[in-house]
Amino acid sequence: MNQPKPTKPSHDVFVVEGEGERAYWTRIGAAWSHDDGHGYNVTLTCVPVNGRLVIRTAKAKEREAGR
């Protein structure tokens, strides 16, 4: 059965350029975990041409603000 995804994402998606304390993080999307726990649905607002993608658990404060 297809379950609708939660209204708020469980994870944020970032593109990270650089390393260490000089790294620049830009939030570019959100992710929702699958009900079976074996994957994610990812929505991006842009597609990076460089850097690396990082998916992190969304912070509660940002989730409450609808970000």
Side-chain angles (χ1 to χ4, degrees):
M1 177 182 236
N2 232 353
Q3 296 288 331
K5 66 182 174 184
T7 58
K8 296 184 181 177
S10 58
H11 293 74
D12 292 321
V13 180
F14 299 89
V15 63
V16 181
E17 298 176 85
E19 297 292 330
E21 291 189 22
R22 293 187 172 209
Y24 186 75
W25 291 59
T26 304
R27 185 178 181 276
I28 61 165
W32 294 260
S33 60
H34 290 175
D35 289 338
D36 65 6
H38 293 288
Y40 293 89
N41 290 327
V42 179
T43 301
L44 300 176
T45 57
C46 65
V47 178
V49 294
N50 58 10
R52 66 186 182 276
L53 289 179
V54 176
I55 299 175
R56 305 271 303 176
T57 303
K59 295 180 181 178
K61 182 170 81 172
E62 292 175 355
R63 259 188 263 148
E64 290 170 8
R67 298 181 199 165

